[in-house]
Amino acid sequence: MIDRLQFIKQRFDEVSDLVINPDIIADQKRYVALNKEYKELKALVEKRDEYMTAVANLEEAQEIIADGSDAEMVEMAKLQLDEAKEALPVLEEEIKFMLIPKDPEDAKNVLVEIRAGTGGDEASIFAGDLYRMYSKYCENKGWRTSVVDVSQGTSGGYKEVIFEVSGDDVYGTLKFEAGVHRVQRVPQTETQGRIHTSAATVMVLPEAEEFDVQLDMNEVRIDYFCSSGPGGQSVNTTKSAVRLTHIPTGLVAQCQDEKSQHKNKDKATQVLRSRLYEMELAKKQEEDAAKRNSQVSSGDRSAKIRTYNYPQGRVTDHRIGLTLYDLDGVMNGSVQKLIDELQLVNNTEKLKESDVY
């Protein structure tokens, strides 16, 4: 492991010099890639320094104990030896997980799409609940969110809501939330007090840069229409909303959140580019999942991943069989425990198939 860590330290020193090179800064694509590598290596080098200090302490303690000439020093060395022996396995385990090759998409910002599924008005209300849950989670993480497009439900909530999330390692964290979410509860619209099961689908698209996807605008049909919903006098009077249709794939993206037609077109283009990128990524994830029989990243958008049961106050993630009796906390943005467990399972799967040493 020490040889591997030494190589990482050398690479970190190289990248540290490269990111301040004016030629590299001028090449935006390379600069972004190197800056991302710098951040990842920095965390690993800091952990390496902790590990090397523990190794040095262990060796120093062993030398003092072997010498045995100073009884007081030997007693202190024994304590130091015990501390080092306790710290090293923990640090080794942490470094092993940090050495697992990261997916290149993990550092990207995302577009999250939440759509009401089966369950009528109650499904729309649940989609709204999920949007609030993720909004609070993102706020707690210090991530920025911005609505791209919404379609209101008839009794509250949303038929569909699309929003951007930007921050550190957003896709690597939120990608596990993609799939079908079920809710079991007595709907607000139910008069008989019966428990219903409704669903909403969550999609998490890594935000595609221009160099990720070549989008030929000659293959895109552009339609302009009046915005709907709240927004003041300009609604239904100016054609500021934009819908883009990618003719070869049939993918559609629209935006009506901004008052400016130009800004809506830019946002819709970003959504379309990300959908094209995610389509290719989903194929790759499916292939990867088939290779290692992955539980948590199958790329299957129709997979039922989680149930929110209100009468029992529980949330169950079906992929890893985890149940939390903290429904109120989860719906108020405390999703991290679920995501941590999913990341752990995913990393363990990767660890089995990769030689980190």
Side-chain angles (χ1 to χ4, degrees):
M1 180 181 264
I2 289 173
D3 290 343
R4 179 77 184 270
L5 290 173
Q6 193 52 38
F7 171 76
I8 284 164
K9 176 69 167 69
Q10 288 171 358
R11 177 60 185 163
F12 176 68
D13 292 340
E14 284 173 27
V15 173
S16 299
D17 291 336
L18 287 169
V19 290
I20 57 172
N21 184 315
D23 292 337
I24 298 292
I25 294 168
D27 182 348
Q28 195 61 23
K29 184 178 177 181
R30 194 163 176 221
Y31 176 73
V32 168
L34 281 168
N35 208 37
K36 175 175 167 283
E37 187 182 358
Y38 173 83
K39 287 179 183 175
E40 288 172 1
L41 289 173
K42 187 171 185 287
L44 199 42
V45 166
E46 285 171 357
K47 194 61 70 176
R48 168 211 174 261
D49 291 344
E50 281 184 58
Y51 180 78
M52 297 305 286
T53 299
V55 169
N57 288 344
L58 180 82
E59 291 172 352
E60 182 187 48
Q62 285 171 334
E63 285 174 16
I64 293 169
I65 292 165
D67 177 76
S69 58
D70 186 328
E72 193 176 332
M73 287 290 285
V74 167
E75 283 306 308
M76 289 172 64
K78 283 179 181 176
L79 289 173
Q80 184 172 304
L81 184 70
D82 290 342
E83 283 176 13
K85 280 183 174 177
E86 194 177 324
L88 279 169
V90 176
L91 288 166
E92 282 177 7
E93 199 65 22
E94 288 175 353
I95 289 167
K96 268 197 320 192
F97 279 107
M98 290 175 83
L99 286 171
I100 297 168
K102 286 195 175 183
D103 293 331
E105 294 82 19
D106 281 359
K108 289 181 180 291
N109 296 328
V110 302
L111 287 162
V112 179
E113 301 184 3
I114 303 174
R115 289 197 185 100
T118 53
D121 288 340
E122 168 64 4
S124 296
I125 293 166
F126 178 52
D129 292 340
L130 289 177
Y131 171 63
R132 281 185 289 279
M133 177 182 85
Y134 289 124
S135 296
K136 287 179 180 179
Y137 174 70
C138 293
E139 187 182 335
N140 293 338
K141 294 279 286 184
W143 293 342
R144 293 176 303 280
T145 59
S146 169
V147 172
V148 174
D149 195 34
V150 293
S151 174
Q152 303 281 346
T154 52
S155 297
Y158 303 103
K159 289 178 185 173
E160 178 183 69
V161 56
I162 303 172
F163 58 101
E164 296 173 299
V165 184
S166 53
D168 292 331
D169 289 319
V170 177
Y171 182 68
T173 305
L174 288 180
K175 64 183 177 182
F176 302 107
E177 294 303 296
V180 177
H181 296 240
R182 288 194 322 172
V183 63
Q184 294 173 330
R185 64 185 177 189
V186 177
Q188 296 172 19
T189 52
E190 168 65 51
T191 55
Q192 304 297 319
R194 291 172 300 182
I195 294 169
H196 285 227
T197 298
S198 305
T201 302
V202 175
M203 285 180 64
V204 182
L205 286 58
E207 204 166 64
E209 306 291 339
E210 283 189 42
F211 46 76
D212 289 328
V213 175
Q214 294 302 317
L215 178 61
D216 184 353
M217 292 306 287
N218 292 321
E219 297 179 335
V220 177
R221 188 177 76 239
I222 305 173
D223 297 307
Y224 300 103
F225 59 99
C226 294
S227 297
S228 59
Q233 293 179 349
S234 61
V235 172
N236 292 325
T237 57
T238 59
K239 291 191 174 183
S240 59
V242 179
R243 182 184 298 112
L244 305 180
T245 306
H246 187 244
I247 295 162
T249 61
L251 287 172
V252 177
Q254 72 176 41
C255 182
Q256 57 178 348
D257 192 56
E258 303 284 349
K259 289 181 182 176
S260 155
Q261 188 185 86
H262 177 70
K263 285 181 180 176
N264 280 331
K265 185 182 175 186
D266 284 347
K267 277 194 173 184
T269 302
Q270 180 61 54
V271 173
L272 184 58
R273 188 181 283 119
S274 294
R275 282 188 179 155
L276 286 165
Y277 185 57
E278 193 268 345
M279 196 167 70
E280 291 304 311
L281 190 61
K283 288 179 194 170
K284 179 179 176 295
Q285 285 175 338
E286 223 164 318
E287 288 165 12
D288 290 348
K291 280 180 198 167
R292 69 169 188 254
N293 193 25
S294 173
Q295 291 171 270
V296 296
S297 56
S298 66
D300 183 358
R301 301 169 187 175
S302 63
K304 179 187 74 180
I305 64 165
R306 197 174 292 154
T307 296
Y308 305 76
N309 185 295
Y310 276 71
Q312 296 175 19
R314 66 172 170 84
V315 179
T316 299
D317 196 289
H318 305 291
R319 293 163 292 181
I320 54 176
L322 175 67
T323 295
L324 299 179
Y325 287 90
D326 182 26
L327 180 66
D328 287 344
V330 169
M331 296 312 292
N332 278 300
S334 299
V335 193
Q336 194 62 53
K337 170 70 174 167
L338 290 158
I339 290 172
D340 285 345
E341 292 296 325
L342 289 159
Q343 285 179 325
L344 181 62
V345 170
N346 190 51
N347 284 337
T348 304
E349 286 174 357
K350 283 184 174 180
L351 194 60
K352 287 175 186 172
E353 67 182 31
S354 68
D355 178 14
V356 297
Y357 298 105

